[in-house]
Amino acid sequence: MHDNLVSIIVPVFNAEKYLTKCINSLLNQSHKNIEVILIDDGSTDNSGIICDEFAMKNKNVKVIHQKNAGPSKTRNVGIDAAQGKYIQFVDSDDFIEPNMTEILIKSINNGTDLVICGYKSMFLIEGSNIIHNCKSNIDGKFTLSEFMLHFGDLFRDNFINSLWNKLYITNLIRNHNVRFIDNLHMGEDLLFNLAYIKACKSISIINKYLYNYVIISNNSLTVSFKKDYFINQQMLFLKVKDFLLEANLYDGRNRDLIKLCYTDSIITCLEHLFHNNSNLTAKRKKEQIKTIIYNDHVKGNISYFKNGNFQKRVIGLFIQKNLINCIFYFFKAKTILRNKLVPLFKLFRKINQIVRFN
């Protein structure tokens, strides 16, 4: 395994519009000792051709073509193919800053097992480009026990879940058999990271915006309706809870922030029932609402609905009083506003952002 060689793993599926910018940002890194592993996951557009063209011109670009298997299996293929001492994951519609890998390498060579950096979320919506800068409130090198004291804050601010703002040690992944769950299509990144963090002795956090996470309005979670979304969110909540319980740190601020994130996800689950691509009847939606709001974990965390925006507080009151029809008509009205009465929906969204109850 080559010293300081970084294997940058990029799963590719129908990303022709953004792929060239992504790959160029990797090849233009100030740290030149890299191999770029492009895994074409059965793309039906020109993504595979673009990958092959880059490989023909660059010796450090490797292309793997496969039948569509999904991101989990694809990343496992990348891990198996990696020859580098370190592994970095990049999504094919994102791009990274020119010095990202160099900065991460310097940090991990300071005797740490994982490096986490800040990032920029770039929302491409209706021709506009909205940038949100995201960095942690803490910075530096931490023992695992020190890091875990800040877990709740990092989880809330989306620093734990993602793969792409991190640098991993290849042997640590392989020696501890840290893998992506093949048949899991939501939350697989989080579970991978939880397993990896368990194997760490020390973790470094860098408060620099090094990764550019591109969120495309027609390419988000909301594009496809996922009938098992609530089940998935329940599973992830319990996995995070068990992770902290095992470390004897599911208490205080960690516990409160995890529960706040969980109740946020319940709002998302309810709204997801009204997805434009949902084929659920009104009756079925109400049945699903009942299943969600009568769940023991939801009921047991009802007080955490009081912390948040206007929508969360209102829905929390409806859940507390078991008002299934009120929840149904709330999200039905919101869907109509979003789809047909855009100015009113934007007003609702602004009110929802401004009115918070803490």
Side-chain angles (χ1 to χ4, degrees):
M1 194 167 289
H2 305 288
D3 286 345
N4 282 346
L5 175 65
V6 180
S7 299
I8 305 179
I9 298 171
V10 187
V12 178
F13 179 72
N14 290 354
E16 63 178 0
K17 188 175 180 181
Y18 306 95
L19 186 56
T20 297
K21 182 175 183 178
C22 172
I23 298 173
N24 280 331
S25 77
L26 308 181
L27 296 176
N28 291 330
Q29 287 298 293
S30 55
H31 180 83
K32 298 301 181 184
N33 194 14
I34 63 171
E35 65 166 356
V36 179
I37 303 174
L38 305 173
I39 309 166
D40 174 25
D41 189 31
S43 296
T44 57
D45 63 0
N46 291 319
S47 295
I49 296 172
I50 294 171
C51 291
D52 289 336
E53 289 175 348
F54 272 99
M56 289 176 62
K57 298 175 183 177
N58 301 274
K59 293 182 179 180
N60 60 343
V61 175
K62 178 191 296 184
V63 179
I64 300 171
H65 296 281
Q66 64 180 32
K67 293 182 179 179
N68 183 256
S72 291
K73 286 186 179 180
T74 300
R75 291 191 178 101
N76 284 334
V77 169
I79 291 172
D80 292 338
Q83 297 181 14
K85 184 177 180 179
Y86 307 109
I87 284 179
Q88 193 175 347
F89 294 100
V90 174
D91 287 351
S92 58
D93 48 2
D94 300 337
F95 61 98
I96 66 178
E97 293 300 311
N99 57 350
M100 178 178 182
T101 302
E102 179 184 2
I103 291 174
L104 297 184
I105 280 284
K106 286 180 179 178
S107 180
I108 209 164
N109 281 341
N110 192 31
T112 190
D113 298 319
L114 176 67
V115 184
I116 304 173
C117 69
Y119 61 95
K120 295 180 181 179
S121 293
M122 309 182 70
F123 298 86
L124 305 183
I125 303 173
E126 298 174 354
S128 62
N129 189 351
I130 303 170
I131 299 176
H132 178 58
N133 296 326
C134 306
K135 68 177 182 179
S136 168
N137 292 324
I138 59 173
D139 183 79
K141 181 180 176 181
F142 303 88
T143 65
L144 180 60
S145 57
E146 291 170 340
F147 173 85
M148 291 295 290
L149 294 175
H150 301 281
F151 185 91
D153 290 279
L154 293 165
F155 183 81
R156 175 199 59 190
D157 295 334
N158 293 317
F159 284 93
I160 301 295
N161 302 43
S162 305
L163 300 168
W164 33 254
N165 64 331
K166 299 175 177 67
L167 185 67
Y168 305 84
I169 298 175
T170 306
N171 278 341
L172 206 58
I173 292 174
R174 290 174 176 166
N175 292 343
H176 291 269
N177 197 30
V178 180
R179 306 286 285 182
F180 294 92
I181 301 173
D182 285 348
N183 60 350
L184 186 64
H185 303 293
M186 289 185 291
E188 69 277 8
D189 300 358
L190 170 60
L191 299 187
F192 179 93
N193 284 332
L194 294 182
Y196 186 89
I197 288 170
K198 282 184 181 180
C200 293
K201 293 181 179 178
S202 63
I203 296 172
S204 292
I205 298 175
I206 300 173
N207 272 336
K208 293 183 178 179
Y209 310 118
L210 301 178
Y211 192 92
N212 297 289
Y213 174 48
V214 180
I215 303 170
I216 308 162
S217 60
N218 64 352
N219 193 35
S220 65
L221 174 68
T222 57
V223 169
S224 59
F225 174 69
K226 296 173 171 45
K227 61 182 180 180
D228 58 345
Y229 189 52
F230 173 65
I231 295 172
N232 175 269
Q233 294 303 299
Q234 289 291 103
M235 179 272 292
L236 295 177
F237 166 64
L238 294 175
K239 290 288 187 181
V240 173
K241 180 181 177 180
D242 289 345
F243 174 80
L244 289 171
L245 283 171
E246 186 177 329
N248 294 316
L249 286 170
Y250 189 65
D251 55 15
R253 185 167 177 82
N254 272 347
R255 179 195 60 211
D256 289 341
L257 289 172
I258 297 305
K259 289 191 172 192
L260 282 172
C261 292
Y262 170 68
T263 48
D264 285 344
S265 77
I266 296 305
I267 300 297
T268 306
C269 290
L270 290 167
E271 186 160 10
H272 191 65
L273 298 173
F274 296 81
H275 188 286
N276 288 340
N277 294 333
S278 169
N279 59 359
L280 297 178
T281 63
K283 180 181 178 181
R284 186 61 180 148
K285 286 176 183 176
K286 290 180 182 181
E287 290 173 351
Q288 289 292 306
I289 291 170
K290 182 177 180 180
T291 297
I292 293 172
I293 71 173
Y294 277 85
N295 179 273
D296 289 342
H297 293 294
V298 175
K299 289 292 189 184
N301 291 293
I302 194 66
S303 63
Y304 288 89
F305 285 89
K306 296 177 182 178
N307 297 80
N309 57 27
F310 170 76
Q311 172 179 264
K312 186 176 181 181
R313 186 177 175 90
V314 169
I315 296 300
L317 180 63
F318 292 163
I319 292 173
Q320 187 174 16
K321 296 183 178 298
N322 300 325
L323 300 176
I324 296 171
N325 284 330
C326 288
I327 295 172
F328 175 85
Y329 286 110
F330 180 94
F331 285 112
K332 183 177 181 179
K334 186 178 178 182
T335 302
I336 294 171
L337 286 176
R338 180 192 296 113
N339 295 337
K340 298 182 179 181
L341 301 169
V342 176
L344 283 177
F345 176 72
K346 288 182 177 179
L347 177 61
F348 171 84
R349 189 165 58 184
K350 185 174 292 187
I351 293 172
N352 194 40
Q353 292 170 344
I354 293 173
V355 181
R356 297 186 64 86
F357 301 82
N358 298 305

